[in-house]
Amino acid sequence: MKTIKAFNWQIGFLTTICIILLICRVFMTENFRYIFLLWNLLLAYVPYFIASRINTETIPMKIKLVLICIWLVFFPNAPYLVTDFVHINHSTSAVIWFDVVLLFMFAYTGMYMAIKSADVIHNWLISKLGNGLAILTIVVSFLLSGFGIYLGRVERWNSWNIINQPFSLISEILQLILKKNVWEFSIVYFILIGSVYIIYRSEQERIKKEDLRLKT
């Protein structure tokens, strides 16, 4: 079964580039406007880390089910980094060219961790539920992720609010699910995550078939 390491060279490389770019911006502009990106990147790492543990044989099934739920709650934090492009409005003409690259690298790193973690969870679900239910679960997860991104970007809720403010959060969700603009937002980000994921999975399948062809 496909697994990922909790921290590999790809994550290290992308994170290092993000940090270097952020440090460069601090020196260029003498302000810490985009320092929050480090926190957002850390939150994006949480679902990736959880996915790296899901195939650990020593972890009981009940704990794994809890981990899946936690993964679902934190998963939106990874593609959420794409929405940080809204801050480009605060960039001056002198550095906007740099800020585009900075925000893109953080967004790319977040999406990379999102897709890799979803891939591992998907494969684990296939082994437990079969292909059909696994696909359905992933599709629903991506749609809920779009909704979660809305909660974070527009309504300013955080993943941990499900613990420290559960009733307020549930009340807010019940009001939001009836609003057309919420679903428009959620579906657009569902399309973003889903389309990138489909390309990734199809490419992985192509590589797998190519490897089998070469071995025969």
Side-chain angles (χ1 to χ4, degrees), residues 123-188:
N123 289 328
W124 185 83
L125 290 169
I126 289 174
S127 70
K128 305 301 177 184
L129 303 176
N131 191 53
L133 284 176
I135 291 175
L136 177 61
T137 304
I138 288 296
V139 168
V140 172
S141 297
F142 287 171
L143 183 58
L144 291 176
S145 180
F147 184 76
I149 294 171
Y150 180 90
L151 288 175
R153 171 53 61 196
V154 180
E155 301 298 332
R156 310 307 297 162
W157 289 93
N158 297 303
S159 298
W160 54 86
N161 290 144
I162 197 170
I163 296 175
N164 62 0
Q165 299 182 54
F167 298 111
S168 298
L169 178 57
I170 292 172
S171 176
E172 180 83 8
I173 289 173
L174 291 176
Q175 295 178 49
L176 291 173
I177 58 176
L178 299 176
K179 295 184 178 180
K180 178 184 176 182
N181 66 303
V182 175
W183 286 108
E184 290 173 344
F185 184 104
S186 303
I187 290 172
V188 166

Side-chain angles (χ1 to χ4, degrees), residues 3-216:
T3 61
I4 52 175
K5 293 181 179 179
F7 197 84
N8 56 33
W9 77 265
Q10 292 95 334
I11 297 296
F13 176 75
L14 289 172
T15 302
T16 300
I17 296 299
C18 287
I19 292 173
I20 290 173
L21 288 172
L22 188 58
I23 292 173
C24 288
R25 192 190 191 282
V26 171
F27 279 103
M28 288 171 61
T29 62
E30 298 182 347
N31 71 65
F32 295 87
R33 179 181 298 278
Y34 283 111
I35 201 70
F36 66 86
L37 289 171
L38 291 176
W39 174 247
N40 288 352
L41 192 62
L42 178 62
L43 291 176
Y45 177 73
V46 174
Y48 180 89
F49 176 78
I50 292 171
S52 72
R53 303 287 89 197
I54 203 66
N55 287 315
T56 304
E57 294 181 1
T58 55
I59 297 178
M61 179 58 67
K62 290 182 179 180
I63 300 300
K64 289 185 177 183
L65 293 176
V66 173
L67 288 176
I68 292 291
C69 293
I70 297 174
W71 173 84
L72 182 59
V73 170
F74 278 89
F75 180 76
N77 289 299
Y80 176 87
L81 279 155
V82 174
T83 70
D84 284 326
F85 270 102
V86 299
H87 298 288
I88 203 72
N89 292 329
H90 301 297
S91 299
T92 63
S93 58
V95 295
I96 192 169
W97 59 272
F98 185 90
D99 289 349
V100 168
V101 176
L102 173 70
L103 292 170
F104 174 82
M105 282 306 302
F106 273 88
Y108 179 82
T109 305
M111 283 298 295
Y112 173 82
M113 290 191 284
I115 298 307
K116 292 289 285 186
S117 73
D119 184 49
V120 172
I121 297 298
H122 188 175
N123 289 328
W124 185 83
L125 290 169
I126 289 174
S127 70
K128 305 301 177 184
L129 303 176
N131 191 53
L133 284 176
I135 291 175
L136 177 61
T137 304
I138 288 296
V139 168
V140 172
S141 297
F142 287 171
L143 183 58
L144 291 176
S145 180
F147 184 76
I149 294 171
Y150 180 90
L151 288 175
R153 171 53 61 196
V154 180
E155 301 298 332
R156 310 307 297 162
W157 289 93
N158 297 303
S159 298
W160 54 86
N161 290 144
I162 197 170
I163 296 175
N164 62 0
Q165 299 182 54
F167 298 111
S168 298
L169 178 57
I170 292 172
S171 176
E172 180 83 8
I173 289 173
L174 291 176
Q175 295 178 49
L176 291 173
I177 58 176
L178 299 176
K179 295 184 178 180
K180 178 184 176 182
N181 66 303
V182 175
W183 286 108
E184 290 173 344
F185 184 104
S186 303
I187 290 172
V188 166
Y189 278 90
F190 163 75
I191 292 171
L192 170 65
I193 301 166
S195 59
V196 175
Y197 185 69
I198 288 171
I199 296 300
Y200 175 82
R201 290 282 294 195
S202 62
E203 184 63 15
Q204 292 300 305
E205 287 298 319
R206 185 193 66 78
I207 293 172
K208 194 182 299 181
K209 289 179 181 178
E210 185 66 20
D211 288 341
L212 288 173
R213 186 185 68 80
L214 294 173
K215 289 177 181 178
T216 56

